[in-house]
Amino acid sequence: MTAPVCLISGVGPGTGSALARRFTEGGHRVALLARNEARLTALEQQLPGAKAYRCDVSDPGQVEAVASAVERDLGNPAVLIHNAVGGAFGTFREIDPEILNRNFQVNTMGLLYLARRFAPAMISAGKGAIVATGNTSALRGKAGFAGFAPTKAAQRILAEAMARDLGPQGVHVAYLVIDAVIDLEWTRKRWPDRPDDFFIKPKAIAEEVWHIAHQDRSAWSFNVEIRPFGEVW
């Protein structure tokens, strides 16, 4: 039996890499998408059956080209994870409107381009999973997140519209709200005095995405929230 394919956008050193490792461990061949080709190549060499593709998901032309390459090299993805993210800090008066638009193109339009390209094969197969990784900004607009939160809220609503459309056709769509600071090199530097329990581990995020993607179809979830046990919410 041919191993299933998982496509992951936004494969960086944190959540993206952890997702790639988890799905490889689970027997998937993984298509690794990101703009940083050197990082992708290094990870590709560590994961059996994985293949790297340089791609800016905000560009529909690049998405189409890479999608065709993935189908040729690996096959149709059974799981699509949109993890690519564009972010910026600042109030609505401080941000550059072009940055907000750029983030919208990555976060929301990127999901649209990927889902439109790969959902038809999932519908034909009568199964599949599409998971978007989000964060607390998808649920609230804090003052300093004006260049970011609107795009994540739009992303979540798009995912919900997709879920209501694709669910009855056998394709599970879910949105994962990560209400936490992810344990990365730069976040450790920004919060140097915080204990380990303050951060959420990329490996733990990947484990939850694996669970969501393999839920029994009689009990699919859509909006899933995860946070460290000590997080105040």
Side-chain angles (χ1 to χ4, degrees):
M1 182 178 177
T2 304
V5 177
C6 172
L7 183 145
I8 305 169
S9 71
V11 177
T15 304
S17 292
L19 287 165
R21 295 182 190 283
R22 180 63 184 90
F23 277 80
T24 297
E25 291 169 1
H28 288 63
R29 292 167 296 156
V30 181
L32 311 165
L33 275 60
R35 287 177 291 177
N36 188 318
E37 192 168 6
R39 179 187 296 152
L40 286 179
T41 301
L43 184 61
E44 176 187 44
Q45 295 172 351
Q46 300 172 25
L47 302 177
K51 192 163 180 61
Y53 302 88
R54 185 179 181 278
C55 183
D56 180 347
V57 297
S58 70
D59 183 337
Q62 290 190 38
V63 170
E64 175 58 36
V66 166
S68 296
V70 169
E71 290 169 341
R72 180 193 65 230
D73 298 338
L74 301 175
N76 294 319
V79 179
L80 164 62
I81 304 169
H82 183 43
N83 182 63
V85 61
F89 297 105
T91 67
F92 78 99
R93 288 177 293 181
E94 296 168 343
I95 62 169
D96 180 346
E98 287 301 316
I99 294 297
L100 176 60
N101 182 57
R102 169 62 184 168
N103 293 338
F104 182 80
Q105 297 304 313
V106 173
N107 299 334
T108 307
M109 296 305 294
L111 173 61
L112 180 67
Y113 297 144
L114 289 166
R116 283 168 61 94
R117 184 58 177 77
F118 291 111
M122 295 181 181
I123 293 170
S124 295
K127 60 182 179 180
I130 300 174
V131 182
T133 57
N135 51 48
T136 320
S137 289
L139 304 176
R140 68 187 184 196
K142 297 185 73 173
F145 289 75
F148 179 55
T151 72
K152 297 302 285 185
Q155 181 190 64
R156 183 178 62 83
I157 292 300
L158 173 60
E160 183 174 347
M162 288 165 46
R164 292 172 182 269
D165 182 1
L166 295 175
Q169 300 181 77
V171 181
H172 181 197
V173 181
Y175 195 79
L176 179 66
V177 175
I178 304 169
D179 183 23
V181 176
I182 301 174
D183 193 355
L184 302 168
E185 183 179 355
W186 75 267
T187 58
R188 286 282 183 166
K189 290 179 179 178
R190 184 169 181 174
W191 288 276
D193 299 325
R194 296 286 189 169
D196 290 346
D197 288 341
F198 170 75
F199 302 91
I200 190 169
K201 299 179 178 64
K203 185 176 180 180
I205 297 172
E207 191 64 41
E208 183 58 25
V209 173
W210 171 268
H211 167 245
I212 293 168
H214 293 87
Q215 287 176 331
D216 186 274
R217 63 191 299 152
S218 71
W220 280 350
S221 56
F222 169 69
N223 198 62
V224 180
E225 298 183 33
I226 55 175
R227 56 183 61 86
F229 73 94
E231 180 75 13
V232 179
W233 58 287

